[in-house]
């Protein structure tokens, strides 16, 4: 790209969001980049191939050496050749050990997940489980249905909250000690990637149980109060963060205003689509045949509506991700760090407010 094109790209204003007809395009881009995981089987297979190649290469060095280099090899000290062979064998041995340890770790995780599912099922059968959620903890409660995908999400989300708390402390210390912009940029990128991980986790959980993600039962009560399609509303968050980012240049103020307006348009489009989906889903349920403890919907229509609901969750998260990315382009590195810190502390205070509300003293009835 020449300098004139680069200048045009960096200086252009953020375009106004074009609602409904661009939502499907967001979803296609989001899905095309959503697969970030590598299966354990592929990793193990690659390790096996590397082990075999390492051992075969070391044997081929001695067994199939060209005749015209025989004298040169023979002139090398024997102990040097032996050391090289020993190093190759040791590298292959360590690779096999790493592979076995990784497979064992996966197996242990699978067993722990099965054990947790069994414990949840026993608690539900014994009447110890309540569907309203548990306040005060990072998970905010368990799903009503014992679902392996949801159980895994709750475990992952608990670790996610712990990591976010650690990143908040790290950002606060970095800003107070005035570290270099290069080091600060690394912390900002780590913080952004952390939120992207949450969106990926939610997408997987939505495919397992979209109602669970939409209800926000995995969050605390104060967070659920501000819930919008399974997460925070980007335009409202920009209003909260605005005062924490000052002073801004005139250009930055204009860009942030344009971004907030684009977010509001996209949110309105998604909200209208959600209302229509709820209406058609309700009509589909009403049209079904209700029997004793069973429901027979019109063939295929109800499930199609639920697939559309998963799509809305993914589109809302994609809007959140795009908003975060745009903010990092508008702000300087230090401003972006302050913004991430303010956002993390905002959610931390909401969780603390939920805990205070649950533990408040109550008057006797």
């Amino acid at each position: 790209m020449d300098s004139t094109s680069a200048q045009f790209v960096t200086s252009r204003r953020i375009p106004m969001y074009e609602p409904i007809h661009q939502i499907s395009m967001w979803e296609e881009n989001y899905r095309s980049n959503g697969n970030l995981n590598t299966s354990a089987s592929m990793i193990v297979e690659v390790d096996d191939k590397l082990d075999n190649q390492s051992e075969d290469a070391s044997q081929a060095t001695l067994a199939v050496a060209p005749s015209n280099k025989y004298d040169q090899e023979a002139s090398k000290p024997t102990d040097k050749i032996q050391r090289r062979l020993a190093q190759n064998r040791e590298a292959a041995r360590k690779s096999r050990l790493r592979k076995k340890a990784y497979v064992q770790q996966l197996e242990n995780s699978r067993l722990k997940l099965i054990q947790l599912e069994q414990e949840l099922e026993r608690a539900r059968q014994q009447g110890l489980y309540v569907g309203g959620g548990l306040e005060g903890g990072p998970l905010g409660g368990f799903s009503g249905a014992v679902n392996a995908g949801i159980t895994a999400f709750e475990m992952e989300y608990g670790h996610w909250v712990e990591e976010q708390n650690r990143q908040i402390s790290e950002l606060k210390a970095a800003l107070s000690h005035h570290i270099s912009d290069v080091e600060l940029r690394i912390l900002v990128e780590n913080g952004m990637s952390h939120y992207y991980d949450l969106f990926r986790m939610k997408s997987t959980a939505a495919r397992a149980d979209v109602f669970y993600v939409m209800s926000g039962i995995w969050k605390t009560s104060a967070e659920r109060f501000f819930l919008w399609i399974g997460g925070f509303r980007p335009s409202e968050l920009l209003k909260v963060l605005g005062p924490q980012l000052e002073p801004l240049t005139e250009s930055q103020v204009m860009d942030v205003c344009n971004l907030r307006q684009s977010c509001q348009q996209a949110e309105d489009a998604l909200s209208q689509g959600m209302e229509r989906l709820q209406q058609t889903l309700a009509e589909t349920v009403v049209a079904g045949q209700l029997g004793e403890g069973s429901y027979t919907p019109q063939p295929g229509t109800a499930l199609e509506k639920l697939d559309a609901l998963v799509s809305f969750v993914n589109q809302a998260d994609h809007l959140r991700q795009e908003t975060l990315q745009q903010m990092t382009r508008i702000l300087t590195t230090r401003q972006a760090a302050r913004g991430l810190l303010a956002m993390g502390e905002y959610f931390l205070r909401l969780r603390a407010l939920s805990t205070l509300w649950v533990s408040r003293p109550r008057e006797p009835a």
Side-chain angles (χ1 to χ4, degrees):
M1 180 182 296
D2 56 24
S3 60
T4 303
S5 300
Q7 183 178 3
F8 172 77
V9 172
T10 56
S11 63
R12 68 181 182 87
R13 296 294 183 193
I14 298 173
M16 298 288 286
Y17 179 79
E18 299 179 12
I20 284 291
H21 68 277
Q22 284 194 1
I23 294 176
S24 60
M25 182 173 65
W26 280 2
E27 180 187 358
E28 292 176 2
N29 292 335
Y30 180 72
R31 289 179 175 175
S32 65
N33 298 321
N35 186 11
L36 303 179
N37 295 326
T38 303
S39 66
S41 61
M42 291 176 61
I43 296 175
V44 171
E45 181 179 353
V46 170
D47 272 346
D48 288 335
K49 292 181 178 179
L50 289 176
D51 292 346
N52 295 334
Q53 290 175 0
S54 176
E55 293 180 353
D56 293 345
S58 62
Q59 295 175 3
T61 301
L62 295 179
V64 201
S67 59
N68 59 349
K69 294 184 179 181
Y70 177 78
D71 294 337
Q72 183 179 355
E73 290 292 332
S75 63
K76 292 183 179 180
T78 305
D79 57 344
K80 187 174 182 179
I81 297 176
Q82 294 298 329
R83 279 200 306 271
R84 182 183 301 172
L85 292 175
Q87 290 173 354
N88 290 341
R89 287 193 296 268
E90 180 65 16
R93 186 184 68 84
K94 290 181 178 180
S95 177
R96 288 192 295 270
L97 290 176
R98 286 195 301 269
K99 178 186 66 177
K100 291 179 180 178
Y102 180 74
V103 173
Q104 185 62 42
Q105 182 181 5
L106 291 178
E107 180 64 18
N108 291 339
S109 298
R110 187 183 69 84
L111 293 176
K112 288 180 180 179
L113 181 59
I114 293 175
Q115 182 181 3
L116 182 58
E117 292 175 5
Q118 292 173 347
E119 291 175 357
L120 287 173
E121 178 64 19
R122 285 197 299 268
R124 185 183 65 81
Q125 292 175 353
Q126 294 170 4
L128 300 178
Y129 172 80
V130 290
L134 303 175
E135 297 295 348
L139 301 183
F142 292 98
S143 170
V146 180
N147 186 305
I150 297 305
T151 303
F153 170 77
E154 289 183 336
M155 295 174 64
E156 282 187 299
Y157 182 66
H159 295 313
W160 188 92
V161 171
E162 293 175 357
E163 175 62 19
Q164 186 188 40
N165 293 337
R166 188 195 66 79
Q167 289 187 359
I168 290 174
S169 301
E170 193 173 19
L171 272 174
K172 187 180 298 184
L175 288 171
S176 62
H177 288 83
H178 303 288
I179 66 174
S180 67
D181 284 354
V182 175
E183 296 173 295
L184 205 56
R185 170 57 62 180
I186 296 175
L187 297 181
V188 169
E189 290 176 353
N190 290 340
M192 295 285 289
S193 297
H194 193 54
Y195 281 101
Y196 301 161
D197 287 341
L198 176 60
F199 301 148
R200 174 191 55 79
M201 290 157 46
K202 287 173 59 183
S203 177
T204 303
R207 290 194 296 271
D209 187 349
V210 66
F211 294 118
Y212 167 86
V213 176
M214 289 286 296
S215 69
I217 196 173
W218 45 282
K219 286 181 170 289
T220 57
S221 55
E223 291 176 291
R224 290 198 296 271
F225 181 72
F226 297 98
L227 199 68
W228 174 77
I229 312 185
F232 61 85
R233 188 183 287 269
S235 61
E236 292 297 325
L237 189 63
L238 290 178
K239 293 179 183 179
V240 173
L241 298 182
Q244 308 298 325
L245 304 175
E246 296 176 352
L248 297 173
T249 65
E250 292 183 4
S251 176
Q252 287 177 323
V253 171
M254 178 94 45
D255 289 340
V256 172
C257 289
N258 289 337
L259 177 60
R260 185 165 60 237
Q261 187 175 4
S262 297
C263 287
Q264 289 173 342
Q265 292 177 351
E267 291 165 6
D268 291 343
L270 286 173
S271 296
Q272 292 171 8
M274 279 290 300
E275 291 176 1
R276 289 195 294 270
L277 178 61
Q278 287 176 334
Q279 181 179 357
T280 56
L281 185 58
E283 293 172 354
T284 302
V285 172
V286 170
Q289 298 177 355
L290 296 175
E292 294 184 1
S294 64
Y295 161 66
T296 305
Q298 296 295 329
T301 55
L303 292 181
E304 291 175 1
K305 301 297 185 298
L306 294 184
D307 287 338
L309 190 57
V310 174
S311 174
F312 272 98
V313 173
N314 290 337
Q315 291 175 62
D317 276 343
H318 188 58
L319 176 60
R320 297 178 186 106
Q321 180 170 329
E322 286 292 321
T323 303
L324 292 176
Q325 290 176 343
Q326 288 285 4
M327 285 298 292
T328 56
R329 297 187 185 106
I330 295 171
L331 303 175
T332 65
T333 299
R334 200 158 294 273
Q335 287 172 331
R338 294 209 318 265
L340 278 176
L341 176 60
M343 184 166 64
E345 289 184 333
Y346 172 72
F347 293 124
L348 185 62
R349 293 190 187 107
L350 286 179
R351 290 192 287 268
L353 178 61
S354 299
T355 303
L356 291 175
W357 174 252
V358 171
S359 59
R360 73 191 186 283
R362 296 175 174 82
E363 297 181 358

